[in-house]
Amino acid sequence: MEATNESNQQILLVPDLAHRLAAIDIGSNSMRLIVAEPLRDGTYRILDEERESTRLGRSLNSTGRLAPDAIEHTLTALRNFKKIAEGFQVAELRTIATCAVREAANGAELCQRAKEEVGVEIEVISSDLEAHLAFFSVQRAFDLTDKNTVVADIGGGSTEIVLASGGVIEGVYSTPLGAVRLTEQFPGSDQGVATPQSHAELIAAIDRCLRKTVPKPFFIPHLLIGSGGTFTSLGEMIMAAKGQQNIPIRGYAVTRAQVSHLLDRLRKLPVKARKSIPGLSPDRADIIVAGLAVIDRLMLRFHVNVLQIHSRGVRDGLLLTMIDQSLGHASEDPRDRETAVERFAAACSGDALHGGQVAKLAGRIYEQLVELFPLDPTDRPFLEAAARLQDVGYLINYDQHHKHSYHLILNSRLAGFRPRELELIANIARYHRGAEPKKRHENFAKLNKAERNRVRRLAAILRIAGGLDRSHTQQVRDVLVSRAENTLLFRAVAEENPEVDIWGARRRSEFFEQVFHVALAIDWQGAIGPPPNAAAPAVHAPYSVSADLSAGEPAR
């Protein structure tokens, strides 16, 4: 039996020689190449790695442009990296660029030259995708189950921060707190020594940026995981000082006291002296103080006393994504939206039965309203997805779960949905309870007028459908919709009178009436005909049905 298990394990880990992959990450401080062979368990074996310090983001903050010599250095390194990848006969090479190229006025020029002169297509990724790739790398390396986690990826031009609970992203924030950028903004003396005044200004600037960019944390994190060269250098310096060079850097734990003491020591040293610090790469000596300052203030901001280091990051996340796609793991059927929604709801420990029931009722209401109002039938999948996912915010907490549902859905990257469609679904779920949509709400304001009207209509329907399973017992089998003059009648079909569910739906009817400009009556219809001696449904004062539905405002 043991021999069989060992044989199965060997089969699982056999590399797929026909699918060697390479990934290049063009950052603000350095470029990195990784060449790998995918393994059939979704991991990989590294064949080669290369790094080149190009300082592409140098002077970007002051000029808004990439320096000509930095562009030439980058193109030379890119040419060499391509030759290395070709030497390994890779089946696919992907090259991404982050903050420096993203922000520079002449970033497109670099991409064009890379295509024409080197034969490499550079994909300039958004800060959001950059953060997701960093998080994906962490997620595959650490067990995040049942943990509230902060992931920070510090680069030369920016720091991406991801807040997650149970391995599900709740918030993504990009800050201009790059080690190169901050070093240029707060240079200290000619020798790189941080004077007390310049250091105080640096710390104050980081704190201001974090307060402005990252909202007050909604949880006390169990874990802060840092990726990027600054975090790796931090771990290697501490390990060298303790004589621990032979232990793995991934997962190495560092206390805030260690960060603060090291920061205080290095800021008082000139750059030349820092270059001799064991564990610190000489080409990072001039920017390490700014990088450590960011780490120190992140730990303070999130009330974390211990962090763990992740030795990989964005390029690892990119490579893992490529491997998943090559092995068919990324999405077994990219068009199967329902499967993607169900998996995400399960990952958030959502109430699957309640969500499914609300989706069913919302869909039934919508298909009947399409016959009565100028609604788009193609919106139904978005409504049903929002219904299934409306309560995923319970993962964070109950009181504000509708707001957390918005963030979780928005950052879910569900297969089969475009980013704009996820924005709609997230907004619909956001308003399944609580306040009505308002333009002063940041999430709602990001939508155009047509999208805002769609969200209002779909959220109004979702509220009624959610009320019809207020008891979470799935008593209501169907909803029959009819219209009589200025009144819509919803009859909840159930074996027994679902009093709690009808009460729940009636409590949520006002917003529906405002959006559709009708009075709404909700009552019970027995599974076989109407119940005996059923009281006439209560009818609210009617709204004018002549009002323009697209206006989104009630006309009394």
Side-chain angles (χ1 to χ4, degrees):
M1 191 68 177
E2 290 182 6
T4 301
N5 289 338
E6 184 176 339
S7 174
N8 288 340
Q9 185 178 26
Q10 289 175 351
I11 292 172
L12 180 69
L13 298 179
V14 170
D16 191 341
L17 300 178
H19 291 88
R20 288 179 172 177
L21 304 172
I24 298 174
D25 174 17
I26 302 176
S28 301
N29 181 56
S30 61
M31 284 177 57
R32 296 175 182 269
L33 164 73
I34 184 168
V35 182
E37 281 179 347
L39 303 178
R40 292 173 189 169
D41 64 349
T43 61
Y44 59 85
R45 180 169 71 90
I46 296 175
L47 299 177
D48 199 2
E49 283 188 297
E50 191 59 66
R51 176 182 179 273
E52 182 72 18
S53 180
T54 59
R55 287 293 168 89
L56 187 60
R58 174 172 48 84
S59 75
L60 175 63
N61 193 63
S62 57
T63 67
R65 300 178 63 82
L66 305 175
D69 59 335
I71 290 178
E72 297 301 330
H73 192 172
T74 298
L75 291 172
T76 299
L78 190 58
R79 196 173 288 110
N80 293 334
F81 285 5
K82 182 189 178 187
K83 289 179 180 178
I84 293 172
E86 289 175 340
F88 284 97
Q89 299 179 316
V90 299
E92 183 182 5
L93 166 65
R94 279 188 66 184
T95 302
I96 59 171
T98 53
C99 181
V101 182
R102 189 166 60 229
E103 293 185 6
N106 58 342
E109 176 190 329
L110 170 63
C111 296
Q112 186 65 26
R113 289 188 60 187
K115 181 178 180 181
E116 295 175 354
E117 300 175 20
V118 186
V120 171
E121 293 269 3
I122 297 177
E123 178 186 353
V124 183
I125 64 173
S126 66
S127 59
D128 181 77
L129 179 54
E130 185 178 357
H132 275 84
L133 289 174
F135 180 78
F136 185 40
S137 177
V138 167
Q139 192 177 38
R140 293 285 283 266
F142 293 80
D143 181 9
L144 305 183
T145 306
D146 299 326
K147 294 184 179 71
N148 296 328
T149 312
V150 178
V151 174
D153 184 80
I154 299 177
S158 65
T159 292
E160 273 62 51
I161 300 168
V162 177
L163 306 183
S165 185
V168 179
I169 296 177
E170 201 277 348
V172 175
Y173 308 95
S174 182
T175 73
L177 299 176
V180 174
R181 190 195 300 266
L182 289 172
T183 299
E184 292 182 352
Q185 289 178 323
F186 303 94
S189 69
D190 293 340
Q191 291 77 34
V193 177
T195 64
Q197 180 179 350
S198 67
H199 187 68
E201 291 172 352
L202 168 65
I203 296 301
I206 294 172
D207 287 345
R208 281 196 305 272
C209 181
L210 289 176
R211 285 195 300 269
K212 179 180 179 181
T213 310
V214 185
K216 186 176 180 182
F218 52 84
F219 55 56
I220 300 298
H222 300 110
L223 193 60
L224 187 151
I225 300 174
S227 68
T230 298
F231 282 102
T232 304
S233 296
L234 165 66
E236 290 176 344
M237 284 187 286
I238 293 176
M239 290 166 63
K242 292 185 171 184
Q244 298 175 326
Q245 294 94 326
N246 294 326
I247 66 174
I249 185 69
R250 184 189 300 185
Y252 187 75
V254 177
T255 67
R256 185 171 178 232
Q258 289 173 315
V259 175
S260 299
H261 292 154
L262 186 60
L263 173 60
D264 189 58
R265 176 190 171 201
L266 293 184
R267 74 178 180 84
K268 297 174 182 177
L269 294 176
V271 172
K272 185 176 180 180
R274 290 182 210 152
K275 290 182 178 181
S276 63
I277 298 292
L280 179 63
S281 173
D283 63 16
R284 194 175 288 275
D286 58 333
I287 62 173
I288 190 62
V289 168
L292 292 180
V294 173
I295 296 175
D296 182 65
R297 306 320 286 178
L298 280 172
M299 296 183 80
L300 177 65
R301 173 70 173 167
F302 292 109
H303 307 288
V304 173
N305 290 321
V306 179
L307 66 84
Q308 286 185 271
I309 292 169
H310 182 44
S311 54
R312 297 180 180 177
V314 173
R315 72 190 183 285
D316 176 63
L318 174 62
L319 189 61
L320 289 170
T321 300
M322 294 166 66
I323 291 171
D324 278 358
Q325 291 170 347
S326 70
L327 297 178
H329 294 170
S331 56
E332 296 171 5
D333 182 357
R335 293 167 296 181
D336 191 350
R337 293 174 167 182
E338 186 173 348
T339 298
V341 168
E342 287 178 354
R343 286 177 177 173
F344 183 65
C348 298
S349 301
D351 186 341
L353 289 176
H354 175 63
Q357 172 74 352
V358 175
K360 171 188 170 183
L361 298 178
R364 282 288 293 136
I365 293 170
Y366 194 80
E367 70 175 283
Q368 295 171 84
L369 290 181
V370 166
E371 304 298 323
L372 303 173
F373 296 95
L375 301 177
D376 185 346
T378 63
D379 276 349
R380 181 174 176 176
F382 307 140
L383 171 63
E384 293 176 338
R388 289 183 180 275
L389 300 176
Q390 63 178 6
D391 292 330
V392 294
Y394 284 155
L395 181 68
I396 310 301
N397 64 42
Y398 173 79
D399 290 339
Q400 299 292 317
H401 77 266
H402 53 300
K403 297 180 181 178
H404 293 303
S405 292
Y406 167 81
H407 292 291
L408 291 170
I409 295 168
L410 191 63
N411 289 295
S412 65
R413 309 181 76 82
L414 288 174
F417 293 100
R418 298 185 181 93
R420 203 62 183 172
E421 292 171 341
L422 281 179
E423 185 85 52
L424 283 174
I425 294 169
N427 270 280
I428 297 163
R430 158 69 174 84
Y431 294 111
H432 81 274
R433 69 188 288 272
E436 298 172 8
K438 296 179 177 64
K439 285 187 179 180
R440 69 170 181 266
H441 296 164
E442 183 179 353
N443 57 284
F444 194 62
K446 288 193 293 185
L447 305 176
N448 61 39
K449 182 178 179 180
E451 290 169 333
R452 289 197 294 268
N453 287 330
R454 290 166 73 188
V455 167
R456 287 172 60 84
R457 297 166 197 160
L458 297 175
I461 295 170
L462 180 56
R463 290 190 180 207
I464 300 299
L468 287 172
D469 194 41
R470 177 69 177 80
S471 63
H472 286 237
T473 59
Q474 295 79 57
Q475 270 189 280
V476 178
R477 289 170 25 181
D478 195 6
V479 181
L480 303 179
V481 178
S482 59
R483 183 172 184 171
E485 297 184 354
N486 293 342
T487 301
L488 278 183
L489 173 61
F490 284 13
R491 286 197 175 272
V493 179
E495 297 287 348
E496 298 179 358
N497 189 354
E499 295 180 73
V500 171
D501 299 322
I502 289 176
W503 169 77
R506 286 174 177 168
R507 288 193 63 187
R508 295 179 168 200
S509 63
E510 182 178 358
F511 180 51
F512 183 97
E513 292 175 325
Q514 291 176 2
V515 170
F516 287 93
H517 313 307
V518 295
L520 179 62
I522 304 171
D523 204 356
W524 168 46
Q525 175 171 305
I528 304 176
N533 303 319
V539 177
H540 300 278
Y543 289 85
S544 169
V545 294
S546 64
D548 179 11
L549 181 62
S550 66
E553 297 296 336
R556 300 244 179 203

